[in-house]
Amino acid sequence: MGRNMARDILSCKNALIASDMHCKRGKKCPHLEAVIKLVSRLNIECLVVSGDFFEDFHKETSPTLFLRELGKICNVERLPRKTIIVLSNSSHDPKLESFLVRSPDGK
């Protein structure tokens, strides 16, 4: 991760951390949807989602497939500009070979 990106992530004025949502592949995730609504209502700048994000997705996965599955469980456009997803790589979550970073400008 580049220095500017790390600085930008660390510059959150406030953040909400959520974990253990155990979302099912291919279905809207009510836990994640509730977190997204709370983030919006509280005007939270950064959302950090940690381990056990998925329930049934523990396999080697490409970034493209992960992002496609993310789009099936929530409306990605409603996620905060600064969303950090930390996968566990050990039990339920997909195994990615590298980090995925969506910059604050949406790229």
Side-chain angles (χ1 to χ4, degrees):
M1 177 180 327
R3 238 187 181 158
N4 290 338
M5 191 173 302
R7 181 176 49 242
D8 193 48
I9 289 170
L10 295 174
S11 70
C12 298
K13 65 182 176 186
N14 55 35
L16 184 125
I17 301 170
S19 69
D20 296 284
M21 286 189 263
H22 296 273
C23 300
K24 305 264 191 249
R25 282 182 73 182
K27 298 179 181 179
K28 291 294 180 192
C29 182
H31 300 297
L32 181 56
E33 291 291 334
V35 167
I36 292 170
K37 285 179 186 175
L38 181 63
V39 164
S40 177
R41 190 180 62 187
L42 297 176
N43 198 27
I44 300 291
E45 184 178 11
C46 298
L47 171 62
V48 179
V49 179
S50 64
D52 291 344
F53 184 43
F54 281 94
E55 176 63 31
D56 54 357
F57 197 7
H58 189 61
K59 66 178 192 170
E60 291 189 21
T61 304
S62 71
T64 303
L65 178 59
F66 173 78
L67 293 172
R68 189 178 314 130
E69 289 299 321
L70 180 62
K72 291 176 184 177
I73 65 170
C74 74
N75 180 346
V76 176
E77 297 303 318
R78 291 183 46 227
L79 289 169
R81 216 168 49 98
K82 295 181 184 179
T83 297
I84 304 158
I85 299 173
V86 182
L87 301 174
S88 66
N89 256 1
S90 63
S91 60
H92 302 280
D93 292 333
K95 297 184 277 186
L96 295 170
E97 60 186 49
S98 63
F99 290 104
L100 293 177
V101 178
R102 181 179 177 200
S103 67
D105 62 3
K107 296 180 182 174

